[in-house]
Amino acid sequence: MTPGARSATLVFVVTEDWYFCSHRLALARAARAQGWRVVVATRVDRHGASIRDAGLELYPLSIRRGSMSPLGELRTLLELIFLYRRERPALVHHVALKPIIYGSLAAFLARVPAVVNAIAGLGFVFVSRSVMARALRPLVRSAYRLAFVGRGTWILVQNADDAVAVRSLGAPESRVALIPGSGVDLARFVPTAEPDGPVVVAMVSRMLRDKGVFELVEAARTLSRSHPSLRVRLVGPPDPANPSSVRAEALAGLAREGVIEWCPGTDDIPGVWARSHVAVLPSYREGLPKSLLEAAACGRPMVSTDVQGCRELVLHERTGLLVPPKNVSALARAIARLADDPELRGRLGRGARKHVQRFSETRVVGQTLDLYAQVVEVVR
């Protein structure tokens, strides 16, 4: 499809409605403005009205990220086959593991001409060392190989390391596109002066072990002795559908103990950064973390791990400080360094805002729409 074409249908397949609204809603709105008819297939929880209010059509899926039920997985596959045969989309955009695997098979069976499979980080199966993850890894690798080989299939990644990874799984280099993340709204997330009072270090994320929650908790314990006024604030809910989720009871207990502060969630993320001095994300692996994009846009210096996705945003000594993954001592030292040095925080925060300009939502959405046009033109 070329810009301005009419009636062509674009289908997004995403596991959760909240994730679609957080990461893909701006793209879907822009696609609709460009002339696409946009259908969103997702598990509907609390954000169905927001999707419909944006002028998008909503198709509820029974998909469950944490489910291993054969009947449940078969039902999801059949729902997608039915959807694709009914809507006859010109293009489908699958995001993350299950939508990619089931959506690609459904697209093949329904003869959908063009597919974009978006890898939003390789996730639990490739990051975790658990028995379950190790058992699933060969199966997922094989499923990805099949999902990547269709003539009309493009693979969308968020960082250079994941581009190498998908090519090793058989994705042709000519059909791997690198677009960094889902972008950040630079008009909504703006720099603000540091708040008065004790230094606040904030982590905005789902509460997952793989995000480095427990490393941050241990760093907070260490820092409570040398920096008793420092506040470490975790903002975000557990994610029971993810095997790496931290239980709410454990987080509440740590908060009562005074080790950390925990806010299960808020829609006011700019307010979180306005009330914080430093952003932290000690993750084991990322695609391109939206929380750090937003923190950088707000002019906050960052502490993160030297892993895929994070090092694209955290340039050591320029926009923040990088530490080795799973290294509590290094994490505590980096946080302490920023807590003790307001001039360093200011310099790195200004660098973060400057660096994040290249990840603006407008730019990322434009690159993705250009990819759609290229994909549709090639398979026409």
Side-chain angles (χ1 to χ4, degrees):
M1 173 177 160
T2 55
R6 300 176 60 189
S7 301
T9 297
L10 164 65
V11 176
F12 286 93
V13 183
V14 182
T15 50
E16 304 284 356
D17 59 354
W18 62 262
Y19 180 90
F20 175 81
C21 288
S22 173
H23 289 71
R24 296 292 186 275
L25 184 58
L27 171 60
R29 282 175 170 154
R32 183 173 180 270
Q34 198 181 70
W36 290 94
R37 171 177 169 256
V38 181
V39 178
V40 180
T42 186
R43 188 179 82 89
V44 179
D45 184 14
R46 294 176 296 167
H47 296 80
S50 298
I51 294 171
R52 291 190 180 97
D53 289 346
L56 314 176
E57 299 178 39
L58 182 62
Y59 181 85
L61 285 179
S62 61
I63 192 167
R64 295 289 187 275
R65 283 177 297 132
S67 170
M68 299 290 288
S69 163
L71 288 178
E73 305 308 282
L74 178 61
R75 180 180 177 183
T76 297
L77 175 61
L78 293 175
E79 287 172 345
L80 290 171
I81 294 171
F82 173 80
L83 173 65
Y84 293 170
R85 286 180 173 170
R86 186 187 72 182
E87 301 296 343
R88 301 180 63 84
L91 173 68
V92 293
H93 185 151
H94 306 129
V95 181
L97 178 60
K98 282 192 176 183
I100 288 174
I101 293 173
Y102 301 147
S104 295
L105 179 55
F108 172 76
L109 295 173
R111 299 189 177 183
V112 175
V115 174
V116 171
N117 284 329
I119 304 289
L122 291 178
F124 166 79
V125 171
F126 290 91
V127 172
S128 175
R129 297 179 180 176
S130 70
V131 173
M132 178 189 295
R134 292 199 301 270
L136 289 174
R137 203 168 294 152
L139 298 175
V140 172
R141 286 183 184 276
S142 297
Y144 268 153
R145 287 182 185 278
L146 292 174
F148 293 165
V149 297
R151 186 184 70 84
T153 299
W154 267 251
I155 297 86
L156 177 58
V157 297
Q158 299 183 347
N159 62 68
D161 293 290
D162 284 351
V164 172
V166 299
R167 287 197 293 270
S168 74
L169 293 173
E173 185 170 0
S174 62
R175 289 193 268 115
V176 176
L178 196 167
I179 298 177
S182 53
V184 60
D185 184 346
L186 295 176
R188 181 181 177 217
F189 293 89
V190 297
T192 57
E194 285 191 341
D196 296 330
V199 170
V200 175
V201 176
M203 173 178 171
V204 176
S205 172
R206 289 175 294 152
M207 294 295 108
L208 305 177
R209 288 188 293 275
D210 295 344
K211 299 290 186 181
V213 168
F214 288 124
E215 284 81 1
L216 182 56
V217 168
E218 289 308 308
R221 289 188 192 279
T222 300
L223 290 165
S224 67
R225 296 187 286 272
S226 59
H227 294 72
S229 66
L230 180 72
R231 298 161 63 186
V232 177
R233 183 175 296 153
L234 278 59
V235 180
D239 183 4
N242 190 305
S244 180
S245 182
V246 180
R247 292 183 300 111
E249 296 82 1
L251 293 163
L254 290 166
R256 286 193 300 271
E257 187 182 339
V259 178
I260 50 95
E261 300 174 6
W262 177 47
C263 171
T266 177
D267 292 329
D268 182 22
I269 302 302
V272 171
W273 297 124
R275 296 185 293 272
S276 305
H277 299 73
V278 176
V280 62
L281 185 68
S283 182
Y284 300 170
R285 182 172 185 147
E286 293 286 329
L288 198 79
K290 194 171 182 69
S291 69
L292 292 187
L293 281 170
E294 293 169 348
C298 291
R300 293 302 181 254
M302 298 169 284
V303 175
S304 192
T305 39
D306 189 6
V307 299
Q308 296 94 326
C310 296
R311 55 177 164 248
E312 276 73 16
L313 294 173
V314 184
L315 309 181
H316 191 60
E317 300 287 354
R318 293 168 56 193
T319 68
L321 302 176
L322 286 171
V323 299
K326 304 181 183 181
N327 190 320
V328 172
S329 298
L331 180 61
R333 288 195 299 271
I335 292 172
R337 183 180 169 197
L338 287 177
D340 292 339
D341 194 338
E343 291 186 5
L344 178 62
R345 293 199 303 270
R347 177 174 67 80
L348 296 180
R350 291 188 296 274
R353 174 68 186 191
K354 181 178 180 181
H355 179 59
V356 85
Q357 306 287 327
R358 70 187 65 185
F359 304 101
S360 74
E361 188 174 82
T362 300
R363 183 173 182 175
V364 168
V365 165
Q367 290 173 333
T368 310
L369 292 177
D370 288 346
L371 175 64
Y372 290 170
Q374 174 191 344
V375 170
V376 172
E377 184 63 28
V378 167
V379 300
R380 178 174 291 170

